[in-house]
Amino acid sequence: MLWPVETRSVCPVFVGRADELGVLHDALARAAAGEPQALLLGGEAGVGKTRLVEEFADAASGRGAVVALGGCVEIGADGLPFAPFSTALRALLRALPDELAAAAAGQEEELARLLPELGETGAGRHDEEGMARLFELTARLLERVAADRTVVVALEDLHWADASTRHLLAYLFRTLRTGRLVVLATYRADDIHRRHPLRPLLAELDRLRTVRRIELSRFNRAEVGRQIAGILAAEPEPAQVDEIFDRSDGNAFFVEELAVAAHEGCRTRLTDTLRDLLLVRVESLPESAQRVARIVAEGGSTVEYRLLAAVAGLAEDDLIEALRSAVGANILLATPAGDGYRFRHSLVREAVADDLLPGERSRLNRRYAEALEADPTLVPAAERTMRLASYWYHAHDPAKALPAVLDASVTARRRYAYSEQLRLLERAMELWDAVPEAVRTTLRPVDYTEVYPPCGCDPETTPLRYLDLMAEAAVAGRLCGERERALKIIKRALHLLEEDGDPLRAAWFWCQRSRLVQAQSRGDGWKELGTAQELVRGLPPSEVHAEVLANVAAWSMLHSPGPDALAAAEQAVEYARMVGAHETELHARLTHGGLLIDAGATEAGFAEMRAVKEQSVAENIFFVAGRAYVNLPSGLEAVGRSRDSVPILEEGIEYTRRFGLLDSEAWVWGNLSQSLYSLGRWDAAADAATNALRRGHSTKPQGGGAVCLAQLALDRGDLPEAARQLAIAHEHFGTHDPMPQHDLLLALVTIGLAAAEGRLADARTALGHVLDTGFPPGTHRYGWPLLLAAATADADARALPTAAHGRPETLARILDTAKKLTTGAPVWLAHEQWVRAELQRADDTATPDTWSPLVTAFEALDRPHDLARVRHRLAEALLTDGAAPDDRDRATELLRLSVTVAEHLGARPLADAVTRLAQRARLTPGRARPTADPVESLGLTSRERDVLRLVSAGRTNRQIAGELFISPKTASVHVSNILAKLGVSGRGEAAALAHRLELFPPGAIPARTVG
């Protein structure tokens, strides 16, 4: 099915392009098989991109595909936000009204920003996820529409695309995974100069393996001959083909112009420049038709008939006659809908527009603006404000342009086209000083500002200020990713405020600067927030005051939780409630609930967070709802209620995916991974962590996914993968904005990995850095596992002579820290016992009585891996020399339970440890499969076994020779062979490996005698 496709070629024969068309047909076939396709089609102006798209669209339609075409619309130098996508979606709505309505169900308010026919756009807070949310919903809409049918979306003239269109296209190309969909975008390659905004996008898309790029070359001589024959409906003379080929250089459009000019007898009028060639047939038109062509050239890519009539000022018969002449000469074409006109090719339009005189250009723009002001129905409602702003701006009338540009900026903001909003606001600031004071005093903040709260004034009666524009521009820059531009605007604003003495406005700008500094990796943002807090201190309640306190509390919860953070959150809630700042109140209440949990008031904190979640979800306050689905389950996990957190997280995934909250979704996946890990659902935890990495829009939630995967790999014995994921986590978390929760998770894996690789000194160093910094309030959920990992590492290494140095100090620091760390939940009380038990094991003082209460404690918790580990330790303690038969039976059952869990989880280090313990004790614990002697599996001979045992005890070659009655040289040869077989570089590494594999029980390594 093909909806109206405009044909602009005068050649009825499609020439060449067999290879390119083959690529497009292959993409169509792949899409029909369920593999979405993304293609870029580039070529110089006039080379034949549109004709190729027409041919492909005809073929796709013939195969049953639905084809939706959209073109980037240029008005002067301005592109309409999302214009090609709006046009394409409108075509899909006409072709598949029921299917598109079903695909958009529940998201109409958001998708109406692209397709107003779906209803009114929703109101609400503008945040960093707004544009990403719209992009995700658009991608999902297309995937749903293309689920049962092949859909081709062709977007033309990408070189004119606005920034928001470019961002959406890049998002689609990166994220489309399902659906029978082809997305094809064309661009004019010769326009893409070094500083063209499309250039970085093309470079980015070139790096995607899923995007195919087609470059159209010019025709060769034979193809030019076939094209001329098609135009003239007769075989041309070879000399004519040579001449046209030489002059056109194979450019299809210039071939057409030259062939038509020659056919019409205009050969003698052709000049040496191709630009003049484009004007030849325009200048041959009657004067009235030339005048109409000039009007159309300045009106935009397409001009509606009624608007053209109003601007031209001709009698209707005269206008129609002029248009008939221009259409008959193939200069203008009627649009597919029959309601307007456009040039057959943009090159002709550009040539005509470039031929306008400066005064003529501004006069035409004024007439367009006046006509549109007089009758706003002359153009589609979705384009009205943007086009009026462009016309008045290019008419060089600041007094008229400023209000129109501000209206257009509001339209751009409502569509989440923040890049265009920023451009328009910068244009408004450019116009500001040229606009008479009488005009400026009529403008009101309530009409043009939304994210910038009133600063002690009534926005309905107070005139708009230049600072108001700077505030809106700064936020637009932050939301569209133009953070450097936003920082420059804020710097100028703060400079102006130094003389103005307005602390509320200054505090608001400092808050914005804090967010930008963090986003640009230039710091943690506290200096800026602290400045804002000082500026509002002592001032009466206001929206700005409440927002500053809410931001301070949220920052402190992540970086420095404690009483001050709790007080700031309480005051933020109070102030927001007093001034009616509803969203700020919910935001602050959520933070307050989390801080209550950290302070030990868990049930009050959970009640507050649940209430905020329900209210924000009911009111579609996406920013707060997304946070609630992240923070509430995180709080539950913090007190060991993993099973309670999982259903909320699963509900959160559905909610965040439904509304396109990409970063919130990634955080939810990461938190789900942690809860599933605790519950022993490791495969599902790995899938969740992978989703956190894949779905994250920014880096920190991706870092959360990577650190979960690192911990899983470590516990499953895949040390290279653990190291790789740890490096990825470090990269995503960065160093500019350290947060205890991230730093402690990284340190936990670092200590575990170092211990597993026999690098005890590195593990101790990592522990030392953490203990030097300390554990802020609320971080005990990360602190206890970290202390446990450190204590376990030292206990495991107790038989190594090299580990003795520094052990007392390390164990003392761990114990001293454990005494101060909060234990406010059963799971952390159990961890406290566990840390103390490992410290006793490190001193060889642990007994079955040390471990038995610990097993009992973990049997009451939903932590199967932890339970299996402490059962293994209890069995180890029971199987000491001289263990009673009853103890051996109990140890056998404990090991059977442990190995069953370990094998189910894939926890290979634990399974191997259980098996080795069982072999040493000559037990068969049920599912514990007997394995080969680990020493023999390393390829060591019996003599090399004896030598390695003594190397592990720290003996020199001479001492080994004395104990084994061999020569020192023979001992040296044995040591060299052992190092080669183990793949290690020195005696210390060999000893660490032997210890890690538990090749020799502690009693099997003889103590060194003195004397």
Side-chain angles (χ1 to χ4, degrees):
M1 183 186 303
L2 178 65
W3 291 91
V5 175
E6 187 175 358
T7 301
R8 286 173 253 168
S9 172
V10 300
C11 180
V13 178
F14 182 72
V15 177
R17 311 305 189 200
D19 292 342
E20 294 85 351
L21 200 57
V23 172
L24 294 174
H25 285 161
D26 176 67
L28 186 67
R30 290 171 180 261
E35 182 183 349
Q37 299 294 297
L39 301 106
L40 286 169
L41 175 60
E44 67 179 11
V47 80
K49 300 181 295 296
T50 296
R51 185 61 193 277
L52 178 59
V53 171
E54 291 171 0
E55 194 72 15
F56 172 59
D58 280 330
S61 179
R63 297 183 186 182
V66 178
V67 180
L69 301 182
C72 298
V73 179
E74 186 186 30
I75 308 172
D78 309 322
L80 285 177
F82 299 122
F85 285 102
S86 297
T87 304
L89 290 175
R90 199 167 286 119
L92 285 176
L93 183 62
R94 289 194 300 267
L96 304 166
D98 295 338
E99 292 85 348
L100 190 132
Q107 310 299 336
E108 291 88 351
E109 283 191 0
E110 290 294 304
L111 291 168
R113 303 180 195 280
L114 288 185
L115 189 57
E117 287 85 343
L118 292 176
E120 294 293 324
T121 58
R125 184 188 185 100
H126 291 265
D127 55 61
E128 279 79 355
E129 289 199 73
M131 188 162 61
R133 180 165 63 247
L134 177 62
F135 290 0
E136 174 67 10
L137 294 177
T138 304
R140 196 167 313 130
L141 175 75
L142 291 173
E143 287 179 342
R144 287 173 179 169
V145 171
D148 301 319
R149 65 195 58 80
T150 304
V151 174
V152 176
V153 176
L155 310 173
E156 292 199 89
D157 301 323
L158 202 57
H159 50 279
W160 286 334
D162 60 285
S164 297
T165 293
R166 295 194 300 270
H167 295 158
L168 176 51
L169 181 69
Y171 184 85
L172 288 179
F173 276 7
R174 287 196 305 267
T175 60
L176 286 176
R177 296 290 183 269
T178 63
R180 296 162 56 182
L181 182 66
V182 176
V183 180
L184 168 64
T186 74
Y187 65 95
R188 190 189 290 180
D190 51 329
D191 271 7
I192 311 303
H193 51 77
R194 180 172 296 180
R195 300 185 63 183
H196 194 286
L198 184 60
R199 192 181 185 94
L201 173 62
L202 294 176
E204 175 189 346
L205 296 180
D206 275 342
R207 292 191 289 269
L208 298 179
R209 291 178 296 174
T210 54
V211 179
R212 285 192 274 183
R213 189 163 169 180
I214 305 170
E215 290 288 345
L216 280 192
S217 59
R218 297 175 179 180
F219 283 155
N220 57 34
R221 185 193 178 284
E223 290 168 332
V224 167
R226 292 202 298 275
Q227 185 185 6
I228 296 170
I231 294 170
L232 303 180
E235 197 65 32
E237 294 292 332
Q240 184 183 28
V241 175
D242 289 340
E243 180 184 357
I244 292 178
F245 177 66
D246 289 342
R247 296 209 56 199
S248 68
D249 205 16
N251 182 287
F253 178 68
F254 287 127
V255 170
E256 288 186 357
E257 290 296 302
L258 289 164
V260 171
H263 182 65
E264 294 176 351
C266 299
R267 181 190 302 273
T268 57
R269 295 186 57 194
L270 297 184
T271 67
D272 291 333
T273 68
L274 292 173
R275 177 181 172 278
D276 288 341
L277 165 65
L278 297 177
L279 294 175
V280 165
R281 287 192 294 119
V282 176
E283 291 171 351
S284 68
L285 295 173
E287 180 54 37
S288 61
Q290 290 187 51
R291 179 185 172 197
V292 168
R294 289 193 292 270
I295 293 171
V296 174
E298 192 59 25
S301 301
T302 299
V303 177
E304 296 75 5
Y305 172 75
R306 292 177 58 228
L307 177 60
L308 177 59
V311 174
L314 296 173
E316 187 169 13
D317 288 346
D318 293 340
L319 176 60
I320 290 174
E321 190 60 34
L323 286 168
R324 187 176 298 280
S325 297
V327 171
N330 215 23
I331 302 299
L332 297 180
L333 292 175
T335 58
D339 59 352
Y341 293 87
R342 63 175 298 159
F343 278 84
R344 180 172 70 85
H345 200 285
S346 57
L347 283 174
V348 182
R349 172 178 172 259
E350 291 164 14
V352 174
D354 289 344
D355 204 41
L356 293 172
L357 299 173
E360 186 178 15
R361 187 186 303 278
S362 59
R363 180 173 60 84
L364 284 175
N365 276 282
R366 173 177 290 278
R367 291 177 66 177
Y368 271 113
E370 290 171 343
L372 194 50
E373 275 194 344
D375 185 359
T377 66
L378 293 175
V379 302
E383 301 177 14
R384 190 176 301 140
T385 57
M386 306 298 284
R387 288 176 67 172
L388 186 61
S390 179
Y391 291 145
W392 275 127
Y393 180 78
H394 292 102
H396 304 301
D397 187 334
K400 285 285 194 177
L402 179 60
V405 166
L406 290 173
D407 286 339
S409 75
V410 172
T411 298
R413 180 179 65 220
R414 288 174 182 164
R415 302 191 77 180
Y416 290 161
Y418 298 119
S419 296
E420 284 60 53
Q421 182 196 5
L422 175 59
R423 176 178 56 80
L424 289 161
L425 287 169
E426 288 177 330
R427 183 169 286 180
M429 289 188 280
E430 168 200 327
L431 294 167
W432 186 263
D433 289 335
V435 176
E437 181 71 21
V439 174
R440 296 205 302 257
T441 55
T442 65
L443 305 175
R444 294 287 178 267
V446 71
D447 297 320
Y448 303 116
T449 62
E450 184 173 320
V451 295
Y452 182 44
C455 293
C457 64
D458 183 353
E460 295 190 5
T461 59
T462 306
L464 185 74
R465 297 178 56 179
Y466 188 78
L467 277 168
D468 299 334
L469 299 185
M470 299 181 83
E472 290 293 312
V475 173
R478 175 169 60 82
L479 296 181
C480 74
E482 292 287 350
R483 300 188 186 102
E484 288 298 333
R485 286 162 71 184
L487 281 168
K488 289 178 181 178
I489 292 169
I490 289 174
K491 183 177 180 179
R492 287 166 48 207
L494 290 172
H495 179 71
L496 291 174
L497 283 164
E498 288 177 2
E499 305 169 1
D500 201 20
D502 190 334
L504 282 179
R505 279 191 166 84
W508 186 90
F509 277 105
W510 279 110
C511 271
Q512 295 301 312
R513 181 173 173 81
S514 171
R515 300 175 74 168
L516 289 163
V517 163
Q518 291 181 76
Q520 288 296 84
S521 304
R522 294 186 183 174
D524 61 12
W526 174 247
K527 175 184 174 183
E528 292 76 13
L529 269 183
T531 302
Q533 188 176 25
E534 287 303 314
L535 284 166
V536 299
R537 195 181 300 278
L539 296 179
S542 66
E543 285 188 49
V544 172
H545 202 154
E547 186 170 340
V548 169
L549 291 172
N551 286 334
V552 167
W555 187 97
S556 299
M557 182 175 71
L558 296 175
H559 296 82
S560 181
D564 290 343
L566 185 60
E570 290 171 346
Q571 193 176 14
V573 172
E574 179 187 358
Y575 279 21
R577 191 170 289 157
M578 290 173 65
V579 299
H582 182 55
E583 292 187 18
T584 301
E585 179 191 343
L586 290 177
H587 173 45
R589 283 176 58 194
L590 188 63
T591 302
H592 181 240
L595 290 167
L596 283 174
I597 294 170
D598 290 344
T602 53
E603 293 311 314
F606 286 136
E608 180 83 308
M609 296 179 87
R610 284 193 178 95
V612 171
K613 179 181 79 70
E614 292 171 5
Q615 190 171 356
S616 58
V617 168
E619 298 174 11
N620 274 345
I621 303 175
F622 302 121
F623 165 70
V624 179
R627 275 194 71 212
Y629 277 118
V630 174
N631 292 5
L632 172 57
S634 178
L636 290 167
E637 178 67 24
V639 296
R641 292 164 60 176
S642 307
R643 198 166 293 281
D644 292 337
S645 74
V646 168
I648 300 173
L649 289 163
E650 290 173 341
E651 178 187 319
I653 289 167
E654 181 181 350
Y655 180 87
T656 53
R657 296 195 74 176
R658 179 183 175 196
F659 292 104
L661 306 173
L662 296 182
D663 273 349
S664 296
E665 183 189 344
W667 283 120
V668 172
W669 278 118
N671 286 350
L672 179 61
S673 177
Q674 291 182 4
S675 293
L676 293 173
Y677 169 83
S678 298
L679 294 169
R681 295 166 57 184
W682 283 11
D683 289 341
D687 291 341
T690 301
N691 279 326
L693 270 169
R694 184 172 61 86
R695 299 292 293 174
H697 182 63
S698 55
T699 57
K700 285 196 185 313
Q702 293 176 327
V707 80
C708 290
L709 289 173
Q711 183 66 58
L712 280 166
L714 180 62
D715 288 336
R716 283 179 158 169
D718 190 347
L719 302 188
E721 177 64 10
R724 188 179 76 85
Q725 292 293 349
L726 180 61
I728 292 172
H730 271 290
E731 181 181 353
H732 283 314
F733 284 142
T735 58
H736 66 286
D737 184 18
M739 297 182 187
Q741 59 177 322
H742 300 155
D743 292 345
L744 293 174
L745 282 172
L746 293 171
L748 169 62
V749 179
T750 299
I751 291 170
L753 182 62
E757 292 177 341
R759 297 181 288 107
L760 180 63
D762 292 342
R764 287 176 176 174
T765 299
L767 173 67
H769 290 325
V770 172
L771 298 185
D772 290 343
T773 304
F775 296 99
T779 60
H780 55 280
R781 64 180 292 189
Y782 310 108
W784 283 117
L786 188 146
L787 292 180
L788 177 63
T792 301
D794 250 285
D796 286 346
R798 65 192 182 280
L800 285 175
T802 55
H805 178 69
R807 175 180 292 130
E809 295 82 0
T810 299
L811 300 184
R813 290 197 73 183
I814 293 173
L815 180 60
D816 183 58
T817 305
K819 291 176 181 178
K820 302 173 185 175
L821 204 58
T822 304
T823 57
V827 67
W828 306 128
L829 285 169
H831 270 75
E832 181 193 26
Q833 291 179 264
W834 195 353
V835 169
R836 293 179 182 276
E838 290 292 353
L839 293 176
Q840 291 181 43
R841 188 166 71 92
D843 284 333
D844 282 323
T845 59
T847 67
D849 290 340
T850 304
W851 294 101
S852 189
L854 193 54
V855 170
T856 302
F858 272 99
E859 284 175 341
L861 301 173
D862 258 338
R863 306 273 173 138
H865 184 235
D866 292 342
L867 177 58
R869 289 174 64 192
V870 296
R871 281 172 168 165
H872 166 242
R873 291 300 177 208
L874 175 56
E876 185 180 48
L878 290 168
L879 293 172
T880 54
D881 289 341
D886 287 348
D887 289 340
R888 289 179 61 83
D889 291 343
R890 186 184 178 195
T892 301
E893 177 61 13
L894 288 168
L895 292 179
R896 182 188 69 78
L897 294 172
S898 291
V899 81
T900 300
V901 171
E903 290 183 349
H904 172 71
L905 297 178
R908 186 161 52 83
L910 176 58
D912 290 348
V914 169
T915 301
R916 288 193 297 268
L917 177 59
Q919 287 177 336
R920 292 200 304 269
R922 294 180 172 81
L923 299 177
T924 306
R927 295 178 60 184
R929 294 188 297 269
T931 60
D933 184 336
V935 177
E936 292 181 4
S937 68
L938 294 172
L940 302 182
T941 65
S942 58
R943 175 58 79 187
E944 288 168 346
R945 172 204 293 263
D946 295 337
V947 172
L948 178 58
R949 176 173 56 83
L950 294 172
V951 167
S952 299
R955 302 293 197 269
T956 65
N957 286 347
R958 184 171 297 278
Q959 290 170 330
I960 293 171
E963 292 194 31
L964 297 181
F965 304 102
I966 58 177
S967 70
K969 184 175 181 181
T970 301
S972 174
V973 171
H974 283 310
V975 170
S976 297
N977 289 338
I978 290 168
L979 298 182
K981 289 181 179 181
L982 298 184
V984 295
S985 59
R987 303 167 74 96
E989 286 188 38
L993 178 63
H995 169 72
R996 187 165 74 250
L997 296 178
E998 299 180 358
L999 301 183
F1000 310 109
I1005 301 179
R1008 182 181 301 177
T1009 57
V1010 179

